[in-house]
Amino acid sequence: MLEANVATGPAKLFSAFVDNRANTVGSYVKLYNATTATVGTTVPPLVLWVPASIAMTFNFLSGLMFSTAISFAAVTTGGTSGTTCPVSDVIVELVVR
């Protein structure tokens, strides 16, 4: 699974671009309010779903506040428990401040 730490302190998320065109199944990007998260255990406050073979942009005009930090993981199952990584890369670009 793809995991990344985006912001090491409080931050607002304004936009998320998720490119799932390389996969034949939908992918979920789980965003965590933490510097590190245990995928499958830590509850993500935001989960973005992108269908197979699609790229999507999610805009949050006022920004979504993450009070601790922002980290994320891309998996094939939504909710908290999913831990299986997509077969191919999922490209994730976040605009934070």
Side-chain angles (χ1 to χ4, degrees):
M1 95 199 69
L2 165 72
E3 293 181 65
N5 183 11
V6 177
T8 58
K12 269 190 173 182
L13 173 65
F14 288 91
S15 180
F17 170 76
V18 182
D19 185 344
N20 194 37
R21 288 180 283 192
N23 287 290
T24 58
V25 298
S27 292
Y28 295 83
V29 175
K30 299 179 182 186
L31 291 122
Y32 300 97
N33 187 24
T35 53
T36 59
T38 303
V39 180
T41 303
T42 305
V43 177
L46 179 63
V47 179
L48 306 173
W49 179 73
V50 179
S53 307
I54 297 289
M56 295 177 70
T57 299
F58 301 84
N59 292 306
F60 310 101
L61 299 180
S62 298
L64 298 177
M65 186 68 194
F66 287 75
S67 59
T68 303
I70 300 175
S71 59
F72 71 87
V75 296
T76 58
T77 305
T80 300
S81 62
T83 59
T84 303
C85 65
V87 173
S88 297
D89 288 343
V90 175
I91 297 167
V92 178
E93 297 175 1
L94 304 178
V95 175
V96 299
R97 183 172 66 181

